[in-house]
């Protein structure tokens, strides 16, 4: 299979998707420009289209376990015991560099989605795309097993909505239909505040060309997004190095098999607790402070890198819906490698920050054996390349 094949035989591409991908990536560039212009903290600088705020980039080793069973010796994992050099970047998923726990309109601090991206250098095998001429395998993860948007169509609706706000950062209208659905059927004698909210939401939706004619599928997508957003809001991350991350979408694992991956802080390694954070008064950059404190400690940090592999025709893999996790997903991960982040490191010197800024991660910097699957991943092929090119990233 070649990289320009639009899909594997395991994927179902909806009609019109190629045009939707083009529009989404064009809007991505418009949004990057808008934020550089309108967000004073960027001072005109173009940043990543999302995950703009970094907590730090650190050097790591990616060590394939030497006790791997035969079934897992595929692609990157074909050589048990092999040690690769790697870089890891920790980030907030938010589109602007704002407080780690940003206050909402009522002043309540909100948890956000957090990211961990790993770039593994000079791997062996057929590649989907080189990374500035080098054969690197990137794995990009967030701290929930599900992604907040099911498919290209929903992500495009989000980008169209973001584009209407001054700094290209307000997704609120996307979620209004879900907020209305959560109110349930109108009941006789419902409290005045609920009735007022219902009236407000109904009018806002009826007057919004992007919301008033949602199909049943679009509505389901919106509800699924709201569910994942609710999960993100529940999880307070105290230290970006002490949380489990997930690839969320599916990937190929050799012939006819699909893989999900995850990285979990290794329990055998004592990590520095970072307890002096209160939800009421966190420092605005407390996550990079936690990372710096961890990196100046005297214990190397380790993550177990885990995968799970299922036959692509197994039930409920939902290859085309990134808001779903697999049945019993959390119970089925197997450790296949260890990420070791040696201390001490100084991720916040001017040079280190500039290097971190220039790195470009993409799920399509990948071995063909781990080809990204599903609509959200097909979308990422174009969007990441264009975001990185637009902000003049230089790769590794
Ligand atoms: C499974 C779903 C996804 C996951 C797990 C994920 C995760 C991540 C992570 C961790 C980063 C930060 C990489 C870094 O540190 O440089 C990132 C960057 C980015 N993501 Fe995603 N993402 C997902 C889906 C998407 C989608 C659907 C889009 C938009 C179409 C998107 C657009 C971007 C962009 C534009 C960047 C910055 C690229 C650059 O300029 O280098 N992501 N993503």
């Amino acid at each position: 299979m070649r990289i320009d094949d639009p899909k594997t035989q395991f994927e179902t591409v909806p009609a019109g998707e190629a045009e939707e991908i083009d529009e989404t990536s064009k809007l991505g560039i418009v949004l990057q420009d808008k934020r550089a212009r309108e967000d004073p903290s960027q001072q005109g600088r173009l940043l990543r289209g999302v995950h703009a705020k970094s907590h730090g980039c650190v050097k790591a080793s990616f060590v394939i376990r030497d006790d791997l069973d035969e079934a897992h010796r595929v692609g990157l994992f074909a050589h048990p015991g092999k040690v690769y050099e790697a870089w890891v970047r920790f980030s907030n998923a938010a589109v602007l560099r704002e407080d780690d726990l940003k206050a909402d309109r009522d002043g309540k601090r909100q948890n956000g989605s957090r990211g961990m991206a790993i770039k593994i250098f000079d791997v062996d095998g057929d590649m989907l795309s080189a990374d500035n001429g080098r054969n690197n395998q990137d794995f990009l993860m967030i701290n929930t097993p599900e992604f907040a948007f099911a498919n290209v169509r929903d992500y495009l609706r989000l980008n169209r909505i973001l584009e209407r706000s001054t700094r290209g950062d307000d997704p609120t209208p996307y979620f209004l239909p879900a907020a209305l659905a959560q109110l349930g059927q109108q009941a006789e004698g419902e409290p005045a505040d609920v009735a007022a909210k219902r009236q407000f939401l109904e009018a806002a939706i009826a007057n919004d060309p992007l919301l008033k004619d949602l199909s049943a599928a679009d509505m389901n997508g919106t509800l699924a997004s709201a569910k994942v957003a609710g999960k993100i809001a529940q999880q307070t991350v105290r230290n970006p190095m002490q949380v489990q991350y997930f690839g969320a979408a599916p990937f190929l694992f050799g012939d006819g098999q699909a893989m999900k991956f995850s990285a979990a802080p290794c329990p055998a390694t004592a990590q520095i607790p970072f307890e002096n954070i209160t939800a009421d008064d966190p420092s605005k950059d407390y996550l990079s402070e936690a990372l710096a404190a961890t990196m100046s400690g005297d214990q190397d940090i380790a993550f177990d890198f885990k995968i799970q592999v299922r036959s692509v025709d197994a039930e409920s893999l939902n290859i085309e819906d990134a808001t779903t996790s697999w049945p019993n997903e959390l119970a089925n991960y197997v450790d296949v490698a260890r990420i070791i982040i040696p201390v001490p490191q100084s991720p916040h010197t001017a040079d280190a920050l500039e290097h971190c800024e220039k790195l470009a991660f993409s799920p399509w910097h990948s071995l063909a054996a781990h080809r990204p699957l599903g609509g959200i991943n097909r979308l990422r092929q174009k969007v990441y390349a264009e975001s990185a090119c637009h902000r003049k990233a230089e790769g590794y």
Side-chain angles (χ1 to χ4, degrees):
M1 172 164 306
R2 295 169 6 180
I3 186 167
D4 51 357
D5 287 342
K7 66 176 188 74
T8 61
Q9 69 267 42
F10 316 119
E11 299 169 86
T12 315
V13 180
E17 189 184 83
E19 292 73 23
E20 289 171 352
I21 289 178
D22 281 348
E23 184 182 343
T24 311
S25 33
K26 281 199 187 104
L27 281 171
I29 301 296
V30 171
L31 288 167
Q32 271 177 298
D33 287 340
K34 199 178 234 245
R35 292 167 193 146
R37 216 172 41 236
E38 302 292 342
D39 177 17
S41 75
Q42 287 188 217
Q43 299 180 319
R45 182 162 189 178
L46 287 165
L47 303 180
R48 287 167 171 82
V50 295
H51 292 263
K53 182 174 179 180
S54 164
H55 311 310
C57 288
V58 288
K59 229 179 241 179
S61 308
F62 191 89
V63 185
I64 311 295
R65 284 183 71 107
D66 53 16
D67 58 354
L68 275 189
D69 58 27
E70 209 50 54
H72 289 113
R73 296 185 187 191
V74 169
L76 179 67
F77 311 99
H79 309 292
K82 190 152 178 178
V83 180
Y84 295 93
E85 281 180 23
W87 275 101
V88 183
R89 177 176 181 267
F90 293 92
S91 58
N92 285 344
V95 297
L96 297 179
R97 287 183 172 164
E98 294 182 306
D99 292 11
D100 292 335
L101 289 181
K102 191 184 154 191
D104 65 12
R105 286 185 188 134
D106 305 325
K108 196 168 164 259
R109 299 275 173 187
Q110 297 294 317
N111 292 306
S113 172
R114 314 300 180 196
M116 174 183 186
I118 178 155
K119 182 179 291 302
I120 301 160
F121 291 106
D122 302 319
V123 303
D124 302 318
D126 291 342
M127 301 301 295
L128 294 177
S129 61
D131 178 4
N132 255 5
R134 258 171 106 168
N135 289 348
N136 301 332
Q137 172 71 49
D138 294 356
F139 290 118
L140 287 80
M141 295 169 277
I142 46 177
N143 64 322
T144 45
E146 306 88 9
F147 184 61
F149 301 91
N151 50 37
V152 178
R153 197 176 156 88
D154 289 352
Y155 206 95
L156 172 57
R157 192 162 65 256
L158 170 77
N159 263 7
R160 285 176 174 163
I161 285 170
L162 291 176
E163 200 259 332
R164 301 187 308 198
S165 55
T166 311
R167 296 186 306 173
D169 66 328
D170 185 5
T172 313
Y174 179 94
F175 293 100
L176 296 184
L180 180 59
Q182 273 156 11
L183 292 183
Q185 289 294 327
Q186 186 164 13
E188 217 167 287
E190 75 182 355
D193 59 334
V194 178
K197 190 170 178 190
R198 185 188 301 283
Q199 219 177 9
F200 166 80
L201 290 170
E202 282 172 350
I205 293 165
N207 290 322
D208 190 328
L210 292 177
L211 302 178
K212 66 181 176 155
D213 296 319
L214 288 192
S215 66
D218 293 341
M219 187 63 201
N220 283 340
T222 304
L223 292 173
S225 296
K227 197 168 158 199
V228 178
K231 264 184 127 169
I232 294 167
Q234 295 296 314
Q235 199 187 353
T236 301
V237 172
R238 308 186 85 80
N239 182 337
M241 303 186 112
Q242 288 174 316
V243 58
Q244 184 166 6
Y245 295 90
F246 302 87
F251 293 76
L252 209 57
F253 192 72
D255 287 336
Q257 302 198 92
M259 154 181 87
K260 288 219 174 177
F261 55 79
S262 172
C266 180
T269 311
Q271 297 187 24
I272 298 172
F274 204 80
E275 299 298 345
N276 53 340
I277 292 170
T278 69
D280 301 328
D281 188 22
S283 144
K284 66 186 179 49
D285 303 320
Y286 78 91
L287 290 168
S288 61
E289 288 162 18
L291 184 132
T294 310
M295 284 294 92
S296 61
D298 55 10
Q299 294 252 20
D300 291 350
I301 297 301
F303 283 82
D304 280 322
F305 188 82
K306 302 159 180 286
I307 60 172
Q308 61 182 291
V309 175
R310 302 192 191 188
S311 164
V312 279
D313 44 23
E315 255 178 57
S316 309
L317 294 196
N318 293 326
I319 299 281
E320 298 301 333
D321 180 354
T323 60
T324 55
S325 46
W326 286 351
N328 291 323
E329 174 161 331
L330 295 184
N332 279 289
Y333 280 104
V334 176
D335 294 347
V336 288
R338 185 161 284 187
I339 302 165
I340 298 169
I341 303 174
V343 294
Q345 295 194 46
S346 308
H348 298 138
T349 61
D351 281 355
L353 291 174
E354 193 52 27
H355 171 250
C356 195
E357 200 48 42
K358 294 229 158 124
L359 284 174
F361 294 84
S362 165
W364 289 83
H365 295 154
S366 173
L367 287 159
H370 304 313
R371 181 181 167 121
L373 296 176
I376 280 295
N377 269 332
R378 290 189 295 277
L379 170 63
R380 294 167 87 190
Q381 184 172 12
K382 186 160 193 165
V383 170
Y384 282 64
E386 296 204 344
S387 165
C389 175
H390 193 52
R391 66 184 177 85
K392 301 196 168 48
E394 287 169 4
Y396 47 86

